[in-house]
Amino acid sequence: MKEIILVKNGELVLKGLNRSSFEDVLIKNMRRHLEDLGEFAFTKSQSTIMVEAPDTADLDEAEERLSKVFGIAAYSRAAVCDKDMQSIVKTAREYLKGQLEAVSTFKVEAKRSDKSFPLKSPEICRELGGALLKSFNHLKVDVHNPDVTVTAEIRDSHAFVRGNSIKGAGGMPTGTSGRACVMISGGIDSPVAAYMMAKRGIELVAVHFASPPYTSELAEMKVMELLKKVSAYCGTITTYVVPFTEIQEAIRDCCPQEYFTLVMRRIMMQITNMIAENQNCRAIITGESLGQVASQTIYALQCTDSVAKFPVFRPCIGMDKDEIIAVSRKIDTFETSIQPYEDCCTVFTPRHPRTRPKLSDVEEAQAKIDGLEKMINDAANGAKRRFIKAAQ
Ligand code: ATP
Ligand code: MG
């Protein structure tokens, strides 16, 4: 039995005249996610995209991959059959056997884009519904809240039969909202922030600050592991690892302790600005959440924002930790995030950081570092670039 995957795009429908180009990006992204599984064919028709697999492809794996592609509202697998009631009934009986045996209620829906088909939609429903009731005599019809909705679609060349559709990853296709630089740590929040903005159609570039020997090779590998998980949703992530040791030591040696963290965060932002500019990004993303730690008070955020050259997106800003954790579990980053490796943010942390810093005091503290501009340039230029892709 020939089987295909039907993909329903979501918000794309709202995009009016842009719809077609959004769909083209979605198809390009689906093709990329599936590329090592074979040559798939994609056909647009109304708000559905038909995904046809080559005979050799692993359809379960293809479905799993597509479940993470942004821009897909729902998807379902469907059996393809001839356009006559006999084949439709036979196909539904065989193809949906497992699903129908496992539930107690169903209903049938029919869609007829080929208006020359001899039966009208209500007649298709009646005939197919009656046949299924006969074959599965434990089943009852429930038109309001069925366990399974059996859909028969009559298209120009073929008919499709399918069961329930599955909710997709939602959001907008990666790349349709431009590029942004995410500041990524090994923690719980920043991978969630990266995922949330990627879901809105952003293509990600990642920046990670490493301070060896204070931070270890394992801490860096953990960050790459997290990015791989995020890239299962949004495709390859260009990643920069910035050498940050010299700057952190300079902060420790030159600045008053209570301003260590804020000066450091401003310098991280300045270096991220440079990478963002270079990489054609239009925004910066962080995992900050208001009030979570001293560097995430309104006053502290103002100090970092004052050096930002781009809008700073903080999608976790209004979320509680347990809400952020729920997303991290959903995207499977949580278990990796909680592995205990040090981050540069916790190197030389002061015991009593300022929670209500004055911008002018932080600027004054930062000005105490001699030769900072050169150090910032060296760090940005010395960043190692990698291309992180989901393990497939
Ligand atoms: P997370 O769970 O994402 O690590 P956090 O609550 O631990 O966040 P901080 O360590 O204060 O908070 O970091 C706040 C934000 O700063 C992070 O969400 C991330 O965007 C950025 N950040 C922190 N450490 C690094 C790093 N080593 N490299 C790049 N960005 C970082
Ligand atoms: Mg952190």
Side-chain angles (χ1 to χ4, degrees):
M1 190 179 304
K2 184 171 160 60
E3 210 183 359
I4 57 164
I5 302 178
L6 295 173
V7 164
K8 283 245 170 273
N9 47 40
E11 279 186 59
L12 304 190
V13 178
L14 304 173
K15 295 289 167 194
L17 289 175
N18 286 334
R19 181 172 135 186
S20 177
S21 61
F22 271 58
E23 279 174 345
D24 290 342
V25 177
L26 176 58
I27 290 174
K28 193 178 86 195
N29 292 348
M30 288 196 279
R31 204 186 293 282
R32 271 205 204 131
H33 280 256
L34 301 177
E35 83 192 335
D36 61 322
L37 298 181
E39 185 78 23
F40 283 71
F42 300 85
T43 317
K44 297 193 249 183
S45 116
Q46 285 122 22
S47 61
T48 305
I49 298 169
M50 262 167 51
V51 184
E52 279 176 85
D55 290 341
T56 51
D58 176 349
L59 216 57
D60 291 339
E61 175 65 19
E63 181 184 343
E64 164 67 21
R65 301 237 189 125
L66 291 180
S67 73
K68 294 185 173 145
V69 175
F70 292 130
I72 296 179
Y75 60 91
S76 58
R77 279 160 77 153
V80 184
C81 66
D82 289 339
K83 277 169 45 172
D84 60 72
M85 279 316 291
Q86 213 185 346
S87 340
I88 292 171
V89 168
K90 181 169 179 287
T91 305
R93 273 193 193 122
E94 289 171 12
Y95 184 60
L96 300 176
K97 186 169 187 277
Q99 280 191 51
L100 291 173
E101 278 175 351
V103 299
S104 48
T105 61
F106 82 114
K107 78 170 177 184
V108 177
E109 277 184 356
K111 291 186 182 160
R112 216 173 51 119
S113 57
D114 171 12
K115 300 293 176 204
S116 69
F117 192 72
L119 273 67
K120 299 232 160 53
S121 296
E123 293 160 351
I124 301 171
C125 292
R126 227 173 298 136
E127 194 162 320
L128 179 56
L132 292 175
L133 279 172
K134 247 189 231 150
S135 312
F136 302 91
N137 44 34
H138 71 289
L139 277 183
K140 289 204 166 49
V141 173
D142 181 343
V143 289
H144 300 296
N145 199 13
D147 297 325
V148 172
T149 301
V150 174
T151 305
E153 285 193 43
I154 318 293
R155 301 267 180 151
D156 288 339
S157 56
H158 288 96
F160 302 140
V161 174
R162 61 181 168 90
N164 287 342
S165 55
I166 300 165
K167 199 170 179 301
M172 317 229 288
T174 301
T176 52
S177 299
R179 278 158 83 83
C181 232
V182 60
M183 297 170 69
I184 189 101
S185 71
I188 295 169
D189 309 330
S190 48
V192 167
Y195 160 83
M196 287 173 78
M197 295 319 302
K199 188 172 176 190
R200 296 309 301 161
I202 278 182
E203 186 181 339
L204 297 175
V205 171
V207 177
H208 175 68
F209 294 84
S211 291
Y214 306 105
T215 61
S216 67
E217 184 73 21
L218 286 173
E220 197 179 311
M221 279 164 59
K222 172 186 173 186
V223 172
M224 300 306 139
E225 202 48 47
L226 290 170
L227 286 171
K228 273 188 198 162
K229 304 249 180 195
V230 177
S231 97
Y233 291 88
C234 63
T236 306
I237 302 174
T238 307
T239 302
Y240 290 85
V241 178
V242 180
F244 206 45
T245 316
E246 186 190 18
I247 289 175
Q248 284 206 280
E249 287 175 342
I251 296 171
R252 176 197 61 192
D253 297 341
C254 308
C255 303
Q257 247 206 37
E258 56 194 347
Y259 295 117
F260 276 8
T261 310
L262 278 171
V263 170
M264 179 192 69
R265 300 201 61 80
R266 280 164 58 91
I267 297 173
M268 287 164 92
M269 185 61 86
Q270 286 171 288
I271 294 170
T272 306
N273 281 333
M274 294 168 72
I275 294 171
E277 234 158 27
N278 224 305
Q279 280 291 302
N280 238 329
C281 294
R282 292 282 172 273
I284 289 170
I285 302 165
T286 80
E288 287 155 316
S289 163
L290 192 65
Q292 197 185 78
V293 288
S295 62
Q296 296 175 30
T297 63
I298 258 184
Y299 309 91
L301 295 178
Q302 189 207 357
C303 293
T304 36
D305 271 6
S306 74
V307 289
K309 288 196 179 158
F310 297 95
V312 181
F313 295 156
R314 299 181 170 97
C316 302
I317 198 75
M319 294 166 80
D320 294 343
K321 196 75 187 185
D322 56 353
E323 291 168 329
I324 300 173
I325 288 175
V327 181
S328 79
R329 285 191 191 280
K330 183 177 121 179
I331 64 171
D332 192 33
T333 52
F334 182 73
E335 295 299 332
T336 309
S337 290
I338 57 172
Q339 287 170 17
Y341 297 117
E342 60 302 302
D343 181 59
C344 72
C345 279
T346 49
V347 173
F348 316 136
T349 343
R351 245 193 275 137
H352 301 292
R354 278 289 170 105
T355 53
R356 292 191 173 208
K358 262 180 47 198
L359 178 57
S360 55
D361 292 342
V362 180
E363 285 170 343
E364 199 180 301
Q366 186 170 343
K368 290 186 195 299
I369 308 173
D370 279 336
L372 179 60
E373 203 170 317
K374 178 171 182 310
M375 281 189 256
I376 287 180
N377 279 323
D378 288 350
N381 295 329
K384 280 183 293 179
R385 188 171 65 173
R386 298 214 191 133
F387 299 99
I388 305 299
K389 201 174 167 192
Q392 289 177 344

